[in-house]
Amino acid sequence: MRSSTRTAAALLAVGVLFVGSPAPAQGTWTRVATPNEPGDNFLYGADATDATHVWAVGAVVPRPRTVPPHSQILRYDGTTWRPAAASNDSTLYAVDAVTATEAWAVGTSRSSTLVTRWNGTAWAAEPSPNGNPAGGNTLRGVAAAGDTVWAVGNYLDSGTYASHGLALQRVGGTWRRSPTPRLSATDSFAAVDATGPADAWVVGYGSSGGISSVPVALRWNGSAWTSLPPPNPGYAGLSAVEAITPNNVWVAGYAQTDIDGMQPYIAQFNGTSWRRVAVPTIVGGGQLSDIVALSPTNILATGTGGSGGSSIVLHWNGSTWTRETAPDTVRVTAAAGVGPDTFWVVGIGFDLSAYQYRNFSIVQKG
């Protein structure tokens, strides 16, 4: 369901300061060891159905880079994280856990879209269409609602190499392209969420030239996608969406300001209109990659400081977003919630002793 800026970046072991004091944590964030293979390990997506089915997906890039990366699926079974599946020459960017016997993960394999399904016993890939049959296809978000599953991402135009948003819909056991309006010269879809077969949201960013960036939000009404963008401060993009109900939808990403540089961006849709919601200013800049709700008054938004090496964890209590204390020197990529009061966060850190990237996870209970 959730997706993020799933692109590996150099991580610097430096801290990020912020205005004001950290908000008191609801509970203590505790590191939980994750398996790491030789080479660079990246986790990009997470989701959960219960305490024994917490999923995280990503990729492992071997060193030296003489062979392509392979995907990585980890499952926390209530006691420990264990590898669940992997496939060669592929990367997974997002996962949506529906039940203990149904989950979906998406990404890219050999420049084509990749969709894989958990049936309670094993993961298996399903055929999925591409935006460009010649290559350059990636899926970055996935969400299931009823008998419908959505997967979104982008593809590159063969002639211009421009990025275009790509939406896929699974109905009746078959994946097909779902036409979306093209609102700018280039665009990319980063995440999708749905409250039902006739109510879904896709978010991302678009550009009509130069270095401009505008937030993109599309809503599915059961038959077509329509554009319903949140407030645009001038330069912004969206990385995540959490649709709690049709009248309570949250989006998260980034916005550029003249004074504070790149900053976290959050907006809320109330069923009729959007409003931008104030968040703590991050000195040094930063952006959000995921947002997940346990309830309308218990929401977590996560991301990374502008340096690429400090975590951002924001909490919504029903009236205010505040920043929580979480481990630094890591790049937070995704979050997952397990009712009634547990949040998981996954991401990437850099191990100076091994000089390799390592995935990590932290958990907060209560």
Side-chain angles (χ1 to χ4, degrees), residues 15-209:
V16 172
L17 301 176
F18 55 96
V19 175
S21 300
Q26 290 184 290
T28 302
W29 285 102
T30 305
R31 284 186 179 270
V32 180
T34 52
N36 281 275
E37 301 179 32
D40 293 322
N41 291 249
F42 304 99
L43 291 178
Y44 297 124
D47 201 15
T49 56
D50 56 60
T52 63
H53 290 83
V54 184
W55 298 97
V57 300
V60 176
V61 180
R63 287 196 179 191
R65 289 183 169 85
T66 55
V67 295
H70 62 265
S71 63
Q72 179 175 227
I73 301 179
L74 305 180
R75 175 189 165 191
Y76 184 79
D77 60 10
T79 303
T80 188
W81 286 99
R82 303 180 188 277
S87 59
N88 291 330
D89 201 3
S90 62
T91 299
L92 292 171
Y93 290 107
V95 59
D96 185 30
V98 185
T99 67
T101 59
E102 182 185 358
W104 299 87
V106 299
T108 184
S109 178
R110 299 176 177 88
S111 206
S112 295
T113 61
L114 172 62
V115 177
T116 183
R117 181 183 186 181
W118 168 255
N119 64 7
T121 303
W123 287 89
E126 292 194 348
S128 55
N130 292 303
N132 181 356
N137 302 270
T138 302
L139 296 175
R140 300 184 181 275
V142 60
D147 295 329
T148 300
V149 187
W150 296 99
V152 302
N154 68 293
Y155 67 94
L156 300 181
D157 185 275
S158 293
T160 64
Y161 297 101
S163 173
H164 299 302
L166 175 65
L168 306 182
Q169 182 187 29
R170 184 184 190 271
V171 178
T174 301
W175 286 94
R176 64 188 183 190
R177 287 190 63 180
S178 180
T180 56
R182 183 171 297 177
L183 306 174
S184 55
T186 64
D187 54 22
S188 182
F189 299 154
V192 60
D193 201 7
T195 64
D199 183 59
W201 290 85
V202 169
V203 301
Y205 59 89
S207 174
S208 293

Side-chain angles (χ1 to χ4, degrees), residues 100-348:
T101 59
E102 182 185 358
W104 299 87
V106 299
T108 184
S109 178
R110 299 176 177 88
S111 206
S112 295
T113 61
L114 172 62
V115 177
T116 183
R117 181 183 186 181
W118 168 255
N119 64 7
T121 303
W123 287 89
E126 292 194 348
S128 55
N130 292 303
N132 181 356
N137 302 270
T138 302
L139 296 175
R140 300 184 181 275
V142 60
D147 295 329
T148 300
V149 187
W150 296 99
V152 302
N154 68 293
Y155 67 94
L156 300 181
D157 185 275
S158 293
T160 64
Y161 297 101
S163 173
H164 299 302
L166 175 65
L168 306 182
Q169 182 187 29
R170 184 184 190 271
V171 178
T174 301
W175 286 94
R176 64 188 183 190
R177 287 190 63 180
S178 180
T180 56
R182 183 171 297 177
L183 306 174
S184 55
T186 64
D187 54 22
S188 182
F189 299 154
V192 60
D193 201 7
T195 64
D199 183 59
W201 290 85
V202 169
V203 301
Y205 59 89
S207 174
S208 293
I211 60 172
S212 63
S213 179
V214 297
V216 170
L218 306 178
R219 188 177 194 181
W220 173 259
N221 63 8
S223 59
W225 293 97
T226 57
S227 176
L228 284 173
N232 180 11
Y235 183 100
L238 302 177
S239 303
V241 56
E242 175 77 332
I244 302 173
T245 69
N247 298 326
N248 190 6
V249 180
W250 293 83
V251 294
Y254 60 87
Q256 181 76 31
T257 69
D258 292 335
I259 298 175
D260 300 306
M262 193 75 74
Q263 289 293 319
Y265 174 98
I266 292 179
Q268 183 187 26
F269 182 75
N270 64 6
T272 303
S273 61
W274 289 96
R275 70 180 181 107
R276 187 176 178 183
V277 184
V279 297
T281 298
I282 308 297
V283 174
Q287 57 185 306
L288 298 175
S289 56
D290 207 356
I291 187 167
V292 59
L294 287 176
S295 75
T297 60
N298 192 9
I299 306 176
L300 204 72
T302 59
T304 304
S307 64
S310 292
S311 59
I312 299 173
V313 177
L314 307 179
H315 180 257
W316 173 259
N317 63 5
S319 61
T320 307
W321 285 99
T322 52
R323 190 175 183 185
E324 294 195 350
T325 301
D328 267 343
T329 68
V330 295
R331 177 172 178 254
V332 174
T333 54
V338 179
D341 59 1
T342 299
F343 284 112
W344 284 90
V345 169
V346 302
I348 309 158

